[in-house]
Amino acid sequence: MMELKTLRLNRHEERRLQGGHLWIYSNEINGKETPLKQFQRGEQVRVEAHSGKFLGIAYVNPHSLICGRLFSREPHILDHALLLHRLEQALSLRSRLFDQPFYRLVYGESDLLPGLVVDRFGKHLSIQLNTAGMEVLKSEIIDALKTLLNPESILLRNDSSMRPLEGLPQEVVTAHGTPPQEVELLENGVRMLAPLHNGQKTGWFYDQRPNRAVLQRFVQGKRVLDVFSYIGGFGVQAAAFGAKEVMAVDSSRFALEMAEKNAALNGVENIFSGAEGDAFDVLKALKQEGEQFDVIVVDPPAFIKRKKDHKEGLRAYHRINELAMRLLSDDGLLLSASCSMHLQRDELLDVLRNGGRRLDRHVQVLFEGTQGPDHPIHPAIPETCYLKAFLARVCKE
Ligand code: SAH
């Protein structure tokens, strides 16, 4: 402890940390007494209020707007022992939540491991070190994961868009064993293969698990359209839950091939098809061809990546949801999701309201969902609560 340098905040800037948040912005630092440039990328520091009051231990990145992330309010450095303790706490939650070892084991700040993401696929781990503070702890993190889980392989999916903001290279690196190209997981009772190396993010989106499960009740004997399907999270599960027919739409051929593979894994390949292309164009074409679906899932990539994209992104949510509604049968269901943290829940609800009015349809929201509990929400950090999902009935009056 003694050797840690001190990072002192400006007057009153301790309030957010004391309120539960973990982030320190570079303009909150008392740069005269503790200039940021004296610190190394990823260095651990004692954080003090202007008064000298001890607030906790953080790691810093002097080159980042979020220049510090607190990981402990006790005088503990983040070493093997604390990492192991944090990972054990994360594991004890997931063990209570799930019977099978398929889940997000570590969800960054919400598990008091800022910048670290660990997805577990049984014996294989796919992880992201999203900050310099986590990057410098790479070998300790790998060691602690090995101690805790004895995994067969660990893949570092360090190609996230956060890394350049932290001055880190984007790369995919094997950290342990031989990570297979595809890993099998079980979700909502359905077997799925996820592409570890070439897939989106860590290879699989565990966050939608509870929202996919909602389909179970509604898809028996129905014709389902899964828009922005990726590898078939919603669509293959809908087929496995008893849908009559499922069409998946995605611009990635690779994703659709994986989706078809997943359909085959569940013996539903005969009722499953993929349509490759831009979702906006494909939905328009389907309408022109007179197609109709009973249940449509719309789960786009984040259309609003930054605050400044808000207007344009919101318009895209409106357009794609309206296109989907036009393809619904008279008494159809739309599951509309957004993973943009900059899109508010009420804005997505308004997208549904607006679509209903434009098509002269009555809209009833039956279910509202968010990310699954292996992505717990940190009550002080709104960014940790990003996923919105509504299941709405869309019918004639
Ligand atoms: N619904 C998926 C996750 C979707 S991720 C699940 O449950 O796992 C977003 C997907 O949208 C990616 O697979 C990406 O290839 C696809 N995508 C992005 N832009 C697109 C576009 N304009 N048209 C069609 N697909 C698109």
PDB file of all heavy atoms in Angstrom, residues 242-278:
ATOM      1  N   GLY A 242     -40.852 -24.486 -31.279  1.00  0.00           N
ATOM      2  CA  GLY A 242     -42.041 -24.995 -31.976  1.00  0.00           C
ATOM      3  C   GLY A 242     -42.614 -24.114 -33.062  1.00  0.00           C
ATOM      4  O   GLY A 242     -43.742 -24.336 -33.510  1.00  0.00           O
ATOM      5  N   ALA A 243     -41.839 -23.117 -33.520  1.00  0.00           N
ATOM      6  CA  ALA A 243     -42.339 -22.291 -34.627  1.00  0.00           C
ATOM      7  C   ALA A 243     -42.547 -23.167 -35.864  1.00  0.00           C
ATOM      8  O   ALA A 243     -41.896 -24.196 -36.032  1.00  0.00           O
ATOM      9  CB  ALA A 243     -41.358 -21.166 -34.936  1.00  0.00           C
ATOM     10  N   LYS A 244     -43.462 -22.707 -36.729  1.00  0.00           N
ATOM     11  CA  LYS A 244     -43.755 -23.457 -37.957  1.00  0.00           C
ATOM     12  C   LYS A 244     -42.660 -23.214 -38.985  1.00  0.00           C
ATOM     13  O   LYS A 244     -42.266 -24.101 -39.729  1.00  0.00           O
ATOM     14  CB  LYS A 244     -45.115 -22.972 -38.500  1.00  0.00           C
ATOM     15  CG  LYS A 244     -45.564 -23.632 -39.787  1.00  0.00           C
ATOM     16  CD  LYS A 244     -46.963 -23.149 -40.166  1.00  0.00           C
ATOM     17  CE  LYS A 244     -46.918 -21.695 -40.617  1.00  0.00           C
ATOM     18  NZ  LYS A 244     -48.246 -21.138 -40.951  1.00  0.00           N
ATOM     19  N   GLU A 245     -42.173 -21.970 -39.014  1.00  0.00           N
ATOM     20  CA  GLU A 245     -41.172 -21.583 -40.000  1.00  0.00           C
ATOM     21  C   GLU A 245     -40.422 -20.358 -39.477  1.00  0.00           C
ATOM     22  O   GLU A 245     -41.030 -19.480 -38.860  1.00  0.00           O
ATOM     23  CB  GLU A 245     -41.889 -21.219 -41.310  1.00  0.00           C
ATOM     24  CG  GLU A 245     -40.962 -21.050 -42.481  1.00  0.00           C
ATOM     25  CD  GLU A 245     -41.668 -20.391 -43.670  1.00  0.00           C
ATOM     26  OE1 GLU A 245     -42.907 -20.523 -43.768  1.00  0.00           O
ATOM     27  OE2 GLU A 245     -40.974 -19.738 -44.455  1.00  0.00           O
ATOM     28  N   VAL A 246     -39.113 -20.317 -39.713  1.00  0.00           N
ATOM     29  CA  VAL A 246     -38.317 -19.166 -39.263  1.00  0.00           C
ATOM     30  C   VAL A 246     -37.441 -18.674 -40.407  1.00  0.00           C
ATOM     31  O   VAL A 246     -36.770 -19.466 -41.075  1.00  0.00           O
ATOM     32  CB  VAL A 246     -37.408 -19.530 -38.061  1.00  0.00           C
ATOM     33  CG1 VAL A 246     -36.508 -18.341 -37.690  1.00  0.00           C
ATOM     34  CG2 VAL A 246     -38.231 -19.968 -36.851  1.00  0.00           C
ATOM     35  N   MET A 247     -37.469 -17.358 -40.616  1.00  0.00           N
ATOM     36  CA  MET A 247     -36.535 -16.746 -41.563  1.00  0.00           C
ATOM     37  C   MET A 247     -35.640 -15.788 -40.788  1.00  0.00           C
ATOM     38  O   MET A 247     -36.114 -14.977 -39.992  1.00  0.00           O
ATOM     39  CB  MET A 247     -37.290 -15.985 -42.662  1.00  0.00           C
ATOM     40  CG  MET A 247     -36.361 -15.434 -43.731  1.00  0.00           C
ATOM     41  SD  MET A 247     -37.214 -14.392 -44.936  1.00  0.00           S
ATOM     42  CE  MET A 247     -38.121 -15.623 -45.848  1.00  0.00           C
ATOM     43  N   ALA A 248     -34.324 -15.922 -41.016  1.00  0.00           N
ATOM     44  CA  ALA A 248     -33.356 -15.053 -40.344  1.00  0.00           C
ATOM     45  C   ALA A 248     -32.794 -14.068 -41.354  1.00  0.00           C
ATOM     46  O   ALA A 248     -32.470 -14.440 -42.482  1.00  0.00           O
ATOM     47  CB  ALA A 248     -32.229 -15.887 -39.744  1.00  0.00           C
ATOM     48  N   VAL A 249     -32.681 -12.802 -40.962  1.00  0.00           N
ATOM     49  CA  VAL A 249     -32.147 -11.762 -41.844  1.00  0.00           C
ATOM     50  C   VAL A 249     -30.882 -11.189 -41.227  1.00  0.00           C
ATOM     51  O   VAL A 249     -30.888 -10.769 -40.050  1.00  0.00           O
ATOM     52  CB  VAL A 249     -33.175 -10.617 -42.035  1.00  0.00           C
ATOM     53  CG1 VAL A 249     -32.594  -9.535 -42.948  1.00  0.00           C
ATOM     54  CG2 VAL A 249     -34.491 -11.150 -42.580  1.00  0.00           C
ATOM     55  N   ASP A 250     -29.803 -11.167 -41.981  1.00  0.00           N
ATOM     56  CA  ASP A 250     -28.557 -10.543 -41.509  1.00  0.00           C
ATOM     57  C   ASP A 250     -27.709 -10.177 -42.724  1.00  0.00           C
ATOM     58  O   ASP A 250     -27.802 -10.818 -43.770  1.00  0.00           O
ATOM     59  CB  ASP A 250     -27.780 -11.503 -40.595  1.00  0.00           C
ATOM     60  CG  ASP A 250     -26.847 -10.757 -39.648  1.00  0.00           C
ATOM     61  OD1 ASP A 250     -25.788 -10.282 -40.101  1.00  0.00           O
ATOM     62  OD2 ASP A 250     -27.178 -10.637 -38.445  1.00  0.00           O
ATOM     63  N   SER A 251     -26.888  -9.144 -42.549  1.00  0.00           N
ATOM     64  CA  SER A 251     -26.020  -8.738 -43.661  1.00  0.00           C
ATOM     65  C   SER A 251     -24.756  -9.594 -43.722  1.00  0.00           C
ATOM     66  O   SER A 251     -24.006  -9.516 -44.689  1.00  0.00           O
ATOM     67  CB  SER A 251     -25.643  -7.261 -43.528  1.00  0.00           C
ATOM     68  OG  SER A 251     -25.062  -7.036 -42.271  1.00  0.00           O
ATOM     69  N   SER A 252     -24.526 -10.389 -42.678  1.00  0.00           N
ATOM     70  CA  SER A 252     -23.311 -11.196 -42.646  1.00  0.00           C
ATOM     71  C   SER A 252     -23.605 -12.629 -43.088  1.00  0.00           C
ATOM     72  O   SER A 252     -24.368 -13.348 -42.440  1.00  0.00           O
ATOM     73  CB  SER A 252     -22.729 -11.190 -41.224  1.00  0.00           C
ATOM     74  OG  SER A 252     -21.930 -12.326 -41.012  1.00  0.00           O
ATOM     75  N   ARG A 253     -22.964 -13.020 -44.175  1.00  0.00           N
ATOM     76  CA  ARG A 253     -23.129 -14.384 -44.673  1.00  0.00           C
ATOM     77  C   ARG A 253     -22.631 -15.391 -43.637  1.00  0.00           C
ATOM     78  O   ARG A 253     -23.256 -16.419 -43.369  1.00  0.00           O
ATOM     79  CB  ARG A 253     -22.351 -14.560 -45.971  1.00  0.00           C
ATOM     80  CG  ARG A 253     -22.301 -16.003 -46.476  1.00  0.00           C
ATOM     81  CD  ARG A 253     -21.549 -16.069 -47.770  1.00  0.00           C
ATOM     82  NE  ARG A 253     -22.277 -15.335 -48.787  1.00  0.00           N
ATOM     83  CZ  ARG A 253     -22.927 -15.922 -49.793  1.00  0.00           C
ATOM     84  NH1 ARG A 253     -22.906 -17.230 -49.908  1.00  0.00           N
ATOM     85  NH2 ARG A 253     -23.569 -15.222 -50.673  1.00  0.00           N
ATOM     86  N   PHE A 254     -21.498 -15.037 -43.034  1.00  0.00           N
ATOM     87  CA  PHE A 254     -20.915 -15.903 -42.007  1.00  0.00           C
ATOM     88  C   PHE A 254     -21.908 -16.149 -40.866  1.00  0.00           C
ATOM     89  O   PHE A 254     -22.104 -17.276 -40.415  1.00  0.00           O
ATOM     90  CB  PHE A 254     -19.617 -15.274 -41.485  1.00  0.00           C
ATOM     91  CG  PHE A 254     -19.027 -15.960 -40.300  1.00  0.00           C
ATOM     92  CD1 PHE A 254     -18.419 -17.201 -40.438  1.00  0.00           C
ATOM     93  CD2 PHE A 254     -19.080 -15.377 -39.041  1.00  0.00           C
ATOM     94  CE1 PHE A 254     -17.878 -17.852 -39.334  1.00  0.00           C
ATOM     95  CE2 PHE A 254     -18.543 -16.013 -37.937  1.00  0.00           C
ATOM     96  CZ  PHE A 254     -17.943 -17.248 -38.084  1.00  0.00           C
ATOM     97  N   ALA A 255     -22.556 -15.053 -40.410  1.00  0.00           N
ATOM     98  CA  ALA A 255     -23.524 -15.180 -39.310  1.00  0.00           C
ATOM     99  C   ALA A 255     -24.677 -16.101 -39.716  1.00  0.00           C
ATOM    100  O   ALA A 255     -25.111 -16.961 -38.938  1.00  0.00           O
ATOM    101  CB  ALA A 255     -24.059 -13.804 -38.911  1.00  0.00           C
ATOM    102  N   LEU A 256     -25.165 -15.943 -40.962  1.00  0.00           N
ATOM    103  CA  LEU A 256     -26.292 -16.765 -41.412  1.00  0.00           C
ATOM    104  C   LEU A 256     -25.890 -18.229 -41.556  1.00  0.00           C
ATOM    105  O   LEU A 256     -26.675 -19.128 -41.259  1.00  0.00           O
ATOM    106  CB  LEU A 256     -26.849 -16.228 -42.733  1.00  0.00           C
ATOM    107  CG  LEU A 256     -27.639 -14.925 -42.616  1.00  0.00           C
ATOM    108  CD1 LEU A 256     -28.061 -14.441 -43.983  1.00  0.00           C
ATOM    109  CD2 LEU A 256     -28.861 -15.099 -41.708  1.00  0.00           C
ATOM    110  N   GLU A 257     -24.656 -18.457 -42.005  1.00  0.00           N
ATOM    111  CA  GLU A 257     -24.194 -19.851 -42.105  1.00  0.00           C
ATOM    112  C   GLU A 257     -24.135 -20.498 -40.720  1.00  0.00           C
ATOM    113  O   GLU A 257     -24.529 -21.647 -40.540  1.00  0.00           O
ATOM    114  CB  GLU A 257     -22.820 -19.902 -42.794  1.00  0.00           C
ATOM    115  CG  GLU A 257     -22.947 -19.745 -44.301  1.00  0.00           C
ATOM    116  CD  GLU A 257     -21.603 -19.533 -45.003  1.00  0.00           C
ATOM    117  OE1 GLU A 257     -20.553 -19.521 -44.320  1.00  0.00           O
ATOM    118  OE2 GLU A 257     -21.622 -19.378 -46.231  1.00  0.00           O
ATOM    119  N   MET A 258     -23.671 -19.715 -39.757  1.00  0.00           N
ATOM    120  CA  MET A 258     -23.646 -20.233 -38.380  1.00  0.00           C
ATOM    121  C   MET A 258     -25.069 -20.462 -37.864  1.00  0.00           C
ATOM    122  O   MET A 258     -25.335 -21.420 -37.142  1.00  0.00           O
ATOM    123  CB  MET A 258     -22.922 -19.245 -37.450  1.00  0.00           C
ATOM    124  CG  MET A 258     -21.412 -19.260 -37.513  1.00  0.00           C
ATOM    125  SD  MET A 258     -20.676 -20.854 -37.085  1.00  0.00           S
ATOM    126  CE  MET A 258     -21.269 -21.088 -35.419  1.00  0.00           C
ATOM    127  N   ALA A 259     -25.978 -19.557 -38.219  1.00  0.00           N
ATOM    128  CA  ALA A 259     -27.374 -19.701 -37.788  1.00  0.00           C
ATOM    129  C   ALA A 259     -27.955 -20.997 -38.355  1.00  0.00           C
ATOM    130  O   ALA A 259     -28.646 -21.750 -37.652  1.00  0.00           O
ATOM    131  CB  ALA A 259     -28.198 -18.499 -38.240  1.00  0.00           C
ATOM    132  N   GLU A 260     -27.645 -21.278 -39.634  1.00  0.00           N
ATOM    133  CA  GLU A 260     -28.158 -22.506 -40.249  1.00  0.00           C
ATOM    134  C   GLU A 260     -27.545 -23.740 -39.584  1.00  0.00           C
ATOM    135  O   GLU A 260     -28.225 -24.742 -39.356  1.00  0.00           O
ATOM    136  CB  GLU A 260     -27.906 -22.472 -41.758  1.00  0.00           C
ATOM    137  CG  GLU A 260     -29.037 -21.712 -42.453  1.00  0.00           C
ATOM    138  CD  GLU A 260     -28.692 -21.193 -43.850  1.00  0.00           C
ATOM    139  OE1 GLU A 260     -27.730 -21.698 -44.467  1.00  0.00           O
ATOM    140  OE2 GLU A 260     -29.395 -20.283 -44.314  1.00  0.00           O
ATOM    141  N   LYS A 261     -26.285 -23.622 -39.240  1.00  0.00           N
ATOM    142  CA  LYS A 261     -25.617 -24.706 -38.516  1.00  0.00           C
ATOM    143  C   LYS A 261     -26.306 -24.943 -37.156  1.00  0.00           C
ATOM    144  O   LYS A 261     -26.513 -26.077 -36.726  1.00  0.00           O
ATOM    145  CB  LYS A 261     -24.165 -24.298 -38.284  1.00  0.00           C
ATOM    146  CG  LYS A 261     -23.178 -25.416 -38.255  1.00  0.00           C
ATOM    147  CD  LYS A 261     -21.781 -24.832 -38.403  1.00  0.00           C
ATOM    148  CE  LYS A 261     -20.742 -25.883 -38.148  1.00  0.00           C
ATOM    149  NZ  LYS A 261     -19.380 -25.409 -38.395  1.00  0.00           N
ATOM    150  N   ASN A 262     -26.668 -23.846 -36.506  1.00  0.00           N
ATOM    151  CA  ASN A 262     -27.346 -23.953 -35.212  1.00  0.00           C
ATOM    152  C   ASN A 262     -28.741 -24.542 -35.365  1.00  0.00           C
ATOM    153  O   ASN A 262     -29.201 -25.301 -34.504  1.00  0.00           O
ATOM    154  CB  ASN A 262     -27.409 -22.577 -34.538  1.00  0.00           C
ATOM    155  CG  ASN A 262     -26.099 -22.227 -33.853  1.00  0.00           C
ATOM    156  OD1 ASN A 262     -25.454 -23.108 -33.272  1.00  0.00           O
ATOM    157  ND2 ASN A 262     -25.699 -20.976 -33.926  1.00  0.00           N
ATOM    158  N   ALA A 263     -29.404 -24.202 -36.465  1.00  0.00           N
ATOM    159  CA  ALA A 263     -30.722 -24.797 -36.716  1.00  0.00           C
ATOM    160  C   ALA A 263     -30.556 -26.306 -36.882  1.00  0.00           C
ATOM    161  O   ALA A 263     -31.311 -27.098 -36.290  1.00  0.00           O
ATOM    162  CB  ALA A 263     -31.353 -24.178 -37.960  1.00  0.00           C
ATOM    163  N   ALA A 264     -29.537 -26.708 -37.640  1.00  0.00           N
ATOM    164  CA  ALA A 264     -29.305 -28.131 -37.863  1.00  0.00           C
ATOM    165  C   ALA A 264     -28.972 -28.851 -36.551  1.00  0.00           C
ATOM    166  O   ALA A 264     -29.424 -29.974 -36.315  1.00  0.00           O
ATOM    167  CB  ALA A 264     -28.175 -28.325 -38.873  1.00  0.00           C
ATOM    168  N   LEU A 265     -28.224 -28.190 -35.708  1.00  0.00           N
ATOM    169  CA  LEU A 265     -27.853 -28.773 -34.415  1.00  0.00           C
ATOM    170  C   LEU A 265     -29.098 -29.132 -33.600  1.00  0.00           C
ATOM    171  O   LEU A 265     -29.091 -30.042 -32.778  1.00  0.00           O
ATOM    172  CB  LEU A 265     -26.978 -27.767 -33.648  1.00  0.00           C
ATOM    173  CG  LEU A 265     -26.332 -28.181 -32.347  1.00  0.00           C
ATOM    174  CD1 LEU A 265     -25.300 -29.292 -32.581  1.00  0.00           C
ATOM    175  CD2 LEU A 265     -25.642 -26.977 -31.679  1.00  0.00           C
ATOM    176  N   ASN A 266     -30.173 -28.388 -33.855  1.00  0.00           N
ATOM    177  CA  ASN A 266     -31.416 -28.627 -33.124  1.00  0.00           C
ATOM    178  C   ASN A 266     -32.479 -29.345 -33.963  1.00  0.00           C
ATOM    179  O   ASN A 266     -33.646 -29.399 -33.563  1.00  0.00           O
ATOM    180  CB  ASN A 266     -31.968 -27.285 -32.610  1.00  0.00           C
ATOM    181  CG  ASN A 266     -31.097 -26.704 -31.507  1.00  0.00           C
ATOM    182  OD1 ASN A 266     -31.218 -27.095 -30.356  1.00  0.00           O
ATOM    183  ND2 ASN A 266     -30.195 -25.798 -31.868  1.00  0.00           N
ATOM    184  N   GLY A 267     -32.051 -29.823 -35.120  1.00  0.00           N
ATOM    185  CA  GLY A 267     -32.964 -30.595 -35.951  1.00  0.00           C
ATOM    186  C   GLY A 267     -34.097 -29.786 -36.545  1.00  0.00           C
ATOM    187  O   GLY A 267     -35.164 -30.323 -36.867  1.00  0.00           O
ATOM    188  N   VAL A 268     -33.905 -28.460 -36.699  1.00  0.00           N
ATOM    189  CA  VAL A 268     -34.985 -27.636 -37.245  1.00  0.00           C
ATOM    190  C   VAL A 268     -34.565 -26.971 -38.558  1.00  0.00           C
ATOM    191  O   VAL A 268     -35.178 -25.980 -38.984  1.00  0.00           O
ATOM    192  CB  VAL A 268     -35.456 -26.557 -36.229  1.00  0.00           C
ATOM    193  CG1 VAL A 268     -36.145 -27.213 -35.040  1.00  0.00           C
ATOM    194  CG2 VAL A 268     -34.281 -25.687 -35.763  1.00  0.00           C
ATOM    195  N   GLU A 269     -33.540 -27.528 -39.208  1.00  0.00           N
ATOM    196  CA  GLU A 269     -33.023 -26.882 -40.426  1.00  0.00           C
ATOM    197  C   GLU A 269     -34.070 -26.848 -41.546  1.00  0.00           C
ATOM    198  O   GLU A 269     -34.046 -25.966 -42.396  1.00  0.00           O
ATOM    199  CB  GLU A 269     -31.720 -27.549 -40.900  1.00  0.00           C
ATOM    200  CG  GLU A 269     -31.845 -28.967 -41.437  1.00  0.00           C
ATOM    201  CD  GLU A 269     -31.823 -30.028 -40.344  1.00  0.00           C
ATOM    202  OE1 GLU A 269     -32.082 -29.706 -39.170  1.00  0.00           O
ATOM    203  OE2 GLU A 269     -31.562 -31.206 -40.668  1.00  0.00           O
ATOM    204  N   ASN A 270     -35.019 -27.787 -41.520  1.00  0.00           N
ATOM    205  CA  ASN A 270     -36.021 -27.829 -42.591  1.00  0.00           C
ATOM    206  C   ASN A 270     -36.974 -26.637 -42.574  1.00  0.00           C
ATOM    207  O   ASN A 270     -37.544 -26.279 -43.595  1.00  0.00           O
ATOM    208  CB  ASN A 270     -36.857 -29.108 -42.491  1.00  0.00           C
ATOM    209  CG  ASN A 270     -36.005 -30.321 -42.809  1.00  0.00           C
ATOM    210  OD1 ASN A 270     -34.960 -30.188 -43.445  1.00  0.00           O
ATOM    211  ND2 ASN A 270     -36.436 -31.478 -42.344  1.00  0.00           N
ATOM    212  N   ILE A 271     -37.151 -26.051 -41.402  1.00  0.00           N
ATOM    213  CA  ILE A 271     -38.086 -24.921 -41.305  1.00  0.00           C
ATOM    214  C   ILE A 271     -37.340 -23.604 -41.179  1.00  0.00           C
ATOM    215  O   ILE A 271     -37.938 -22.556 -40.942  1.00  0.00           O
ATOM    216  CB  ILE A 271     -39.047 -25.098 -40.111  1.00  0.00           C
ATOM    217  CG1 ILE A 271     -38.261 -25.227 -38.802  1.00  0.00           C
ATOM    218  CG2 ILE A 271     -39.961 -26.296 -40.322  1.00  0.00           C
ATOM    219  CD1 ILE A 271     -39.045 -24.746 -37.603  1.00  0.00           C
ATOM    220  N   PHE A 272     -36.022 -23.655 -41.315  1.00  0.00           N
ATOM    221  CA  PHE A 272     -35.192 -22.462 -41.075  1.00  0.00           C
ATOM    222  C   PHE A 272     -34.534 -21.996 -42.362  1.00  0.00           C
ATOM    223  O   PHE A 272     -33.974 -22.802 -43.107  1.00  0.00           O
ATOM    224  CB  PHE A 272     -34.102 -22.808 -40.048  1.00  0.00           C
ATOM    225  CG  PHE A 272     -33.390 -21.609 -39.483  1.00  0.00           C
ATOM    226  CD1 PHE A 272     -33.847 -20.977 -38.337  1.00  0.00           C
ATOM    227  CD2 PHE A 272     -32.246 -21.108 -40.106  1.00  0.00           C
ATOM    228  CE1 PHE A 272     -33.202 -19.868 -37.822  1.00  0.00           C
ATOM    229  CE2 PHE A 272     -31.589 -20.000 -39.589  1.00  0.00           C
ATOM    230  CZ  PHE A 272     -32.059 -19.385 -38.445  1.00  0.00           C
ATOM    231  N   SER A 273     -34.590 -20.695 -42.644  1.00  0.00           N
ATOM    232  CA  SER A 273     -33.881 -20.177 -43.819  1.00  0.00           C
ATOM    233  C   SER A 273     -33.248 -18.833 -43.485  1.00  0.00           C
ATOM    234  O   SER A 273     -33.671 -18.150 -42.545  1.00  0.00           O
ATOM    235  CB  SER A 273     -34.844 -20.027 -44.998  1.00  0.00           C
ATOM    236  OG  SER A 273     -35.830 -19.071 -44.671  1.00  0.00           O
ATOM    237  N   GLY A 274     -32.234 -18.473 -44.254  1.00  0.00           N
ATOM    238  CA  GLY A 274     -31.552 -17.203 -44.031  1.00  0.00           C
ATOM    239  C   GLY A 274     -31.703 -16.299 -45.242  1.00  0.00           C
ATOM    240  O   GLY A 274     -31.712 -16.764 -46.382  1.00  0.00           O
ATOM    241  N   ALA A 275     -31.838 -15.000 -45.005  1.00  0.00           N
ATOM    242  CA  ALA A 275     -31.869 -14.024 -46.090  1.00  0.00           C
ATOM    243  C   ALA A 275     -30.735 -13.038 -45.846  1.00  0.00           C
ATOM    244  O   ALA A 275     -30.724 -12.320 -44.840  1.00  0.00           O
ATOM    245  CB  ALA A 275     -33.211 -13.302 -46.129  1.00  0.00           C
ATOM    246  N   GLU A 276     -29.774 -13.054 -46.768  1.00  0.00           N
ATOM    247  CA  GLU A 276     -28.604 -12.195 -46.596  1.00  0.00           C
ATOM    248  C   GLU A 276     -28.851 -10.843 -47.238  1.00  0.00           C
ATOM    249  O   GLU A 276     -29.313 -10.767 -48.382  1.00  0.00           O
ATOM    250  CB  GLU A 276     -27.398 -12.873 -47.253  1.00  0.00           C
ATOM    251  CG  GLU A 276     -26.109 -12.100 -47.074  1.00  0.00           C
ATOM    252  CD  GLU A 276     -24.966 -12.696 -47.891  1.00  0.00           C
ATOM    253  OE1 GLU A 276     -25.059 -13.862 -48.310  1.00  0.00           O
ATOM    254  OE2 GLU A 276     -23.988 -11.969 -48.106  1.00  0.00           O
ATOM    255  N   GLY A 277     -28.549  -9.783 -46.492  1.00  0.00           N
ATOM    256  CA  GLY A 277     -28.695  -8.455 -47.073  1.00  0.00           C
ATOM    257  C   GLY A 277     -28.921  -7.403 -46.009  1.00  0.00           C
ATOM    258  O   GLY A 277     -29.030  -7.716 -44.818  1.00  0.00           O
ATOM    259  N   ASP A 278     -29.005  -6.161 -46.479  1.00  0.00           N
ATOM    260  CA  ASP A 278     -29.311  -5.065 -45.574  1.00  0.00           C
ATOM    261  C   ASP A 278     -30.762  -5.222 -45.103  1.00  0.00           C
ATOM    262  O   ASP A 278     -31.681  -5.348 -45.917  1.00  0.00           O
ATOM    263  CB  ASP A 278     -29.125  -3.738 -46.312  1.00  0.00           C
ATOM    264  CG  ASP A 278     -29.476  -2.576 -45.419  1.00  0.00           C
ATOM    265  OD1 ASP A 278     -28.721  -2.319 -44.473  1.00  0.00           O
ATOM    266  OD2 ASP A 278     -30.532  -1.956 -45.649  1.00  0.00           O
TER     267      ASP A 278
END
